[in-house]
Amino acid sequence: MQTGFVWHERYMWHNTGRASGPFLSDASGWMEPDIRHTENSDTKRRFRNLLDVSGLLDQLVPIAPRAATVEELTRFHTAAYVEHVRELSAGAGGEGVDGTTVIGKGTYEVALLSAGGVIEAVDAVLDGTVDNAYALVRPCGHHALPDAAMGFCIFGNVAIAAHHARVVRGLRRVAIVDWDVHHGNGTQAGFYDDPNVLTISLHQDSCFPPESGPLEETGEGAGEGFNLNVPLPPGSGDGAYEAAFEQLVIPALERFQPELILVASGLDASAMDPLGRMMVSPKGYGRLAELLLDAAARLCDGRVVMAHEGGYSAELVPFCGLAIVERLAGVETEVRDTILQLFPEHMGQQQLQPHEQALIERVAAVAGL
Ligand code: 6DK
Ligand code: ZN
């Protein structure tokens, strides 16, 4: 398998600075200040470094990102919002609508490179240069709204890439599977009335954005039935995620018959993530990748492009990421991590629990799956 890999050192230069805002540690005035913002370059760099030392990086096909154009961005965003980000970035910087999304000096250029990196990955897969691809981009994108930055996201990388696949490359049906622990609300909003883009988000119930992503939201108008939310209970582990894939995600993909599958690959459903309360192990993420790739092989010639989203555990983001890229490339490295041994063998309730199965059945009923 030829797997493309998008990376650029400048992705690490989107500077989110020091912690601030309602959710982050020094906001109260009672904590020692001067810690980094939760969304910083560390976990992404460590993911890339593990690919490197494992030897897997050498077996991937490098894909150079480019800056997305304003024309590409405005298939999803308003022109006024794009210009607003450019101005903030060129001046003193600013924040998104939720007070936690930093637009620092130079963020605009890095965010263009992030969106453009996912577009390039889509082109490489559609051209057949590679079979599939992982775009380790930053900043992330799935909370970004057409007219606002939100949840550490500036531009909707995956949404913009989906529009590219449709408008420029002429694909009729594109599916987006979002396994970030938070709801992919921006992506959902962008395609809510669109029957040509199936949006699926698995997330921790009511985690972020607050109250976002209920199972009743299934799309509207012509897009009715083309949005699937799977709000899993906190504590869901490998068993719940695998069952949700087998009973919901894969059947929904089979029904939709996509020509390309995009994955919003957040690694914050891991068992050690500070911004989520799920228990997915590296092995579990590898299994999800495997199930998805098997479906893609049947449905769309294996065409899968994954774009990195969240993930804040210094240890588990790299190991989860490695497990996913191993599946994409069809290569097993000799890396054996001590953390992996803790799951699922030594952490309780990794197996599908009755209340998790009940939720899956409610979603299946609403979606007619
Ligand atoms: N909560 C992400 O991982 C980003 O999905 C997650 C962002 C979580 C922010 C947590 C937060 C608030 C803020 C205000 C009021 C209530 C809750 F986009 C990704 F990076 F992928 O600030
Ligand atoms: Zn997230």
Side-chain angles (χ1 to χ4, degrees):
M1 220 34 98
Q2 291 275 70
T3 296
F5 185 66
V6 178
W7 163 266
H8 199 291
E9 173 62 22
R10 283 188 196 277
Y11 289 150
M12 305 296 100
W13 299 3
H14 161 50
N15 186 356
T16 47
R18 300 291 163 183
S20 65
F23 195 74
L24 302 162
S25 310
D26 78 347
S28 66
W30 292 96
M31 287 294 155
E32 180 182 349
D34 210 28
I35 59 167
R36 293 178 80 187
H37 188 292
T38 308
E39 201 293 303
N40 61 62
S41 61
D42 193 44
T43 57
K44 285 85 175 174
R45 196 187 286 288
R46 291 168 63 93
F47 174 6
R48 196 251 181 208
N49 289 346
L50 181 58
L51 292 176
D52 190 352
V53 299
S54 74
L56 186 51
L57 192 60
D58 291 336
Q59 300 184 53
L60 306 177
V61 180
I63 297 174
R66 63 168 170 86
T69 64
V70 171
E71 183 184 355
E72 288 168 335
L73 297 182
T74 52
R75 292 188 188 119
F76 176 66
H77 294 289
T78 64
Y81 170 64
V82 173
E83 178 56 17
H84 179 61
V85 175
R86 194 192 64 74
E87 278 171 10
L88 288 176
S89 164
E95 280 181 351
V97 287
D98 58 351
T100 62
T101 312
V102 177
I103 297 165
K105 203 157 185 57
T107 287
Y108 179 67
E109 283 73 21
V110 186
L112 293 181
L113 207 57
S114 188
V118 185
I119 293 173
E120 285 293 304
V122 164
D123 276 344
V125 167
L126 294 180
D127 288 343
T129 320
V130 295
D131 298 297
N132 53 43
Y134 197 101
L136 183 41
V137 298
R138 183 170 171 267
C140 42
H142 71 151
H143 301 305
L145 297 169
D147 62 352
M150 184 180 188
F152 316 158
C153 300
I154 315 292
F155 297 135
N157 306 321
V158 168
I160 291 162
H163 278 298
H164 174 78
R166 296 246 314 117
V167 178
V168 179
R169 304 299 304 243
L171 299 196
R172 280 162 301 175
R173 289 177 309 281
V174 176
I176 300 174
V177 177
D178 186 328
W179 62 40
D180 187 284
V181 79
H182 306 105
H183 179 226
N185 62 300
T187 321
Q188 170 177 313
F191 299 105
Y192 206 56
D193 61 357
D194 189 343
N196 305 303
V197 179
L198 172 66
T199 47
I200 303 176
S201 177
L202 304 105
H203 44 269
Q204 183 184 322
D205 191 4
S206 302
C207 181
F208 184 84
E211 308 305 319
S212 187
L215 60 88
E216 292 81 11
E217 291 179 356
T218 54
E220 70 185 7
E224 178 63 55
F226 296 91
N227 183 71
L228 184 66
N229 281 330
V230 187
L232 290 165
S236 295
D238 291 351
Y241 273 82
E242 183 169 343
F245 262 60
E246 285 171 345
Q247 297 176 46
L248 301 170
V249 177
I250 305 300
L253 291 173
E254 305 265 4
R255 185 168 74 183
F256 183 66
Q257 298 277 313
E259 295 163 307
L260 169 71
I261 302 174
L262 303 177
V263 178
S265 181
L267 306 184
D268 44 14
S270 91
M272 291 168 68
D273 199 277
L275 293 192
R277 292 294 175 270
M278 299 307 220
M279 305 199 295
V280 180
S281 71
K283 202 165 151 188
Y285 265 112
R287 177 76 184 132
L288 300 186
E290 180 177 81
L291 289 169
L292 196 87
L293 286 163
D294 286 350
R298 294 192 300 276
L299 294 167
C300 53
D301 239 358
R303 287 195 288 265
V304 171
V305 173
M306 301 194 182
H308 198 75
E309 297 282 355
Y312 310 96
S313 161
E315 294 93 348
L316 279 188
V317 167
F319 286 122
C320 291
L322 176 68
I324 292 166
V325 179
E326 282 183 345
R327 298 306 170 114
L328 284 172
V331 172
E332 200 184 330
T333 68
E334 61 186 28
V335 174
R336 293 290 174 274
D337 66 273
T338 50
I339 300 169
L340 179 60
Q341 293 166 14
L342 298 174
F343 318 100
E345 292 82 356
H346 301 293
M347 188 176 259
Q349 304 206 358
Q350 274 290 357
Q351 303 82 4
L352 176 66
Q353 301 297 305
H355 67 292
E356 297 160 353
Q357 176 61 27
L359 179 278
I360 290 170
E361 281 169 22
R362 282 177 61 206
V363 175
V366 167
L369 290 165

